[in-house]
């Protein structure tokens, strides 16, 4: 979410920062609920009691990006690879809010896509899968890592009857470690992540490019719904601090773009820090108004990524 904080440069009002983030400055350190991070003598305020945002983020190990009055942070590396699914509350194209946790008690699939991906054509396949497996208790939750006006036509054309939300700030990618789309995450009845993000096309329209047959994922999903069998997933290294920082810079870029301010320099910094993350690189191409499919920048990026062994493109097996 976005918060306007009273500030003097990077020094912000402590009460406002607490209201926005939940982290309170107390004698024992920075605390949120029952969790406290001791400061061990580290000073994070100025003489008038305002919090130094940079020192605050360093104390909490939060990757922080900022640019002329705009700051964003992402999940620290220590908080990645959660066993319990973080909740997501995001708007649909009409502005109505939907929470992933609303499906608690059922098996759930979080499926991600974007208009800058060929997977925008696959939403009808996900609707068909929903109609097949919903009677057996499965609930789908679709997240477009995209802008509302770009995602809306595809959602409307597919006639989705399960929640379809928009995540222009890529909070979903941050919390679940998603670096490409279409990816899915499986969550069981007790909120446990039983399958971390893997590539899962809705159908085979682009199988020559993806080299991942859709039925491989769908058959595994059917088995999980019917028997609880979970597929094997190759172990993947979690994001580094630099890669998480790249997401923070992309988040700043998204805010600046939304408000008509220069943003490309923030995208470039994000790409430097996380060069093989499609949610940064390809979405950035689209944000700049360039062709994310056959444009010169995308072809160069795709060639670089393919030569590197397609990092982050893990199929469901």
């Amino acid at each position: 979410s976005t918060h306007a904080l009273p500030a003097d440069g990077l020094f912000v009002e402590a009460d406002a920062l607490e209201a926005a983030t939940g982290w309170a400055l107390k004698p024992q350190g920075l605390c949120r609920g029952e969790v406290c991070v001791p400061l061990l003598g580290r000073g994070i305020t100025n003489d008038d009691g305002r919090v130094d945002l940079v020192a605050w983020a360093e104390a909490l190990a939060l990757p922080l990006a900022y640019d002329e009055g705009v700051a964003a942070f992402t999940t620290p590396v220590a908080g990645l690879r959660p066993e319990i699914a973080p909740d997501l509350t995001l708007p649909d194209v009409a502005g109505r809010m939907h929470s992933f946790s609303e499906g608690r008690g059922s098996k759930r699939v979080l499926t991600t896509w974007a208009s800058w991906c060929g997977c925008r054509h696959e939403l009808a396949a996900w609707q068909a899968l929903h109609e097949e497996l919903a009677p057996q208790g499965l609930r789908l939750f679709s997240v477009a890592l995209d802008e509302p006006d770009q995602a809306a036509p595809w959602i409307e054309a597919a006639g989705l009857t399960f929640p379809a939300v928009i995540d222009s700030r890529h909070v979903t990618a941050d919390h679940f470690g998603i670096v490409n789309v279409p990816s899915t995450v499986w969550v069981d009845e007790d909120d446990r992540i039983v399958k971390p993000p893997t590539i899962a096309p809705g159908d085979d329209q682009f199988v020559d490019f993806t080299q991942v047959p859709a039925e491989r994922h769908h058959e595994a999903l059917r088995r999980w719904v019917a028997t609880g069998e979970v597929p094997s997933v190759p172990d993947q290294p979690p994001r580094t601090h630099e890669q998480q920082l790249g997401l923070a810079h992309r988040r700043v870029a998204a805010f600046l773009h939304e408000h008509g301010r220069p943003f490309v320099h923030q995208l470039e910094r994000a790409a430097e820090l996380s060069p093989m993350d499609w949610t940064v690189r390809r979405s950035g191409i689209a944000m700049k108004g360039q062709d994310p499919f056959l444009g010169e920048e995308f072809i160069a990026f795709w060639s670089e990524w393919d030569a590197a062994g397609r990092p982050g493109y893990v199929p469901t097996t």
Side-chain angles (χ1 to χ4, degrees), residues 11 58 62 65 74 77 151 153-154 157 159 162 170 204 207 229 235 289:
F11 287 89
E58 289 177 350
L62 294 173
T74 51
V77 170
W154 303 99
F162 53 91
H170 292 198
D204 288 336
V207 70
E229 178 188 343
D235 191 38

Side-chain angles (χ1 to χ4, degrees), residues 8-149:
D8 179 9
L10 284 170
F11 287 89
V12 300
E13 297 285 354
D15 290 346
L17 185 60
E18 178 185 351
T21 68
W23 286 101
L25 181 58
K26 297 183 177 181
Q28 58 267 45
L30 287 166
C31 301
R32 185 166 62 180
E34 298 181 356
V35 176
C36 287
V37 177
L39 294 175
L40 303 176
R42 182 201 305 257
I44 67 167
T45 60
N46 62 6
D47 292 340
D48 65 5
R50 293 188 182 189
V51 175
D52 180 338
L53 197 59
V54 173
W56 173 86
E58 289 177 350
L60 296 173
L62 294 173
L64 175 74
Y66 50 90
D67 185 356
E68 297 186 11
V70 179
F73 62 86
T74 51
T75 305
V77 170
L80 296 176
R81 286 192 168 177
E83 294 182 3
I84 300 299
D87 193 21
L88 293 170
T89 300
L90 295 164
D92 62 19
V93 294
R96 295 181 296 262
M97 304 302 289
H98 300 266
S99 293
F100 186 54
S101 61
E102 292 168 3
R104 186 176 291 126
S106 300
K107 288 186 173 72
R108 284 167 285 163
V109 172
L110 179 76
T111 177
T112 59
W113 64 283
S115 66
W116 42 262
C117 167
C119 53
R120 70 195 189 282
H121 292 286
E122 299 171 355
L123 294 180
W126 289 109
Q127 175 63 24
L129 203 62
H130 163 71
E131 293 170 3
E132 174 191 345
L133 296 177
Q136 300 177 47
L138 183 69
R139 300 185 66 163
L140 266 62
F141 192 90
S142 168
V143 180
L145 302 179
D146 216 330
E147 302 296 327
D149 60 335

Side-chain angles (χ1 to χ4, degrees), residues 127-213:
Q127 175 63 24
L129 203 62
H130 163 71
E131 293 170 3
E132 174 191 345
L133 296 177
Q136 300 177 47
L138 183 69
R139 300 185 66 163
L140 266 62
F141 192 90
S142 168
V143 180
L145 302 179
D146 216 330
E147 302 296 327
D149 60 335
Q150 298 298 314
W154 303 99
I155 293 172
E156 293 166 1
L160 301 183
T161 58
F162 53 91
V165 299
I166 310 297
D167 183 4
S168 60
R169 304 291 166 79
H170 292 198
V171 175
T172 309
D174 172 16
H175 288 347
F176 286 91
I178 293 166
V179 298
N180 208 334
V181 294
S183 291
T184 64
V185 178
W186 299 0
V187 177
D188 72 8
E189 297 89 337
D190 298 317
D191 266 354
R192 294 176 300 182
I193 296 175
V194 297
K195 185 193 72 62
T198 55
I199 295 300
D203 56 36
D204 288 336
Q205 293 181 66
F206 303 99
V207 70
D208 289 344
F209 169 79
T210 66
Q211 301 175 18
V212 180

